[in-house]
Amino acid sequence: VQLQASGGGLVQPGGSLKLSCAASGFSLDNYAVGWFRQAPGKERERVSAISNSDGTAYYADSVQGRFTISRDNAKNTVYLQMNRLKPEDTAVYYCAAGKFLLSVWVKSRCDYWGQGTLVTVSS
């Protein structure tokens, strides 16, 4: 049972990346999924989260309008499309799954955490 985050890399400011969060050993469509990030020397912060039922999504103010979260239950995968990236988006990005969207978003209460994927935005 695990979550695998992937898709990170080095990108120039203004560029785009698409992160994937793939589940194995359990069905992700029973869980809300959140993306979190942690920059060097900073605390972990929430980025986005999506429900398992009606597609309700939340975004941090800092990424609203630039990032889009989506899910493909057939592929047991959740995505984070990141556009117009900024240097301050540089961080290790983690995905996590929990039973309830508000618990994931407000309290980071998750049953499963991925290992993280590094996103570096630099020229």
Side-chain angles (χ1 to χ4, degrees), residues 26-106:
F26 69 104
S27 181
L28 202 55
D29 59 1
N30 293 324
Y31 291 83
V33 176
W35 284 97
F36 303 82
R37 67 187 182 187
Q38 187 166 20
K42 295 187 177 181
E43 293 187 354
R44 187 180 66 201
E45 63 176 352
R46 62 189 187 184
V47 175
S48 183
I50 188 168
S51 74
N52 64 311
S53 56
D54 61 2
T56 297
Y58 296 131
Y59 297 93
D61 289 344
S62 59
V63 307
Q64 179 76 48
R66 299 188 298 122
F67 292 10
T68 303
I69 192 170
S70 62
R71 62 192 305 154
D72 185 338
N73 288 336
K75 295 184 177 179
N76 220 21
T77 300
V78 170
Y79 304 98
L80 185 69
Q81 177 67 48
M82 306 186 297
N83 298 328
R84 304 199 310 274
L85 283 160
K86 304 176 181 180
E88 51 264 43
D89 294 317
T90 295
V92 177
Y93 283 71
Y94 301 88
C95 61
K99 279 294 189 178
F100 305 105
L101 176 61
L102 284 179
S103 293
V104 170
W105 184 242
V106 177

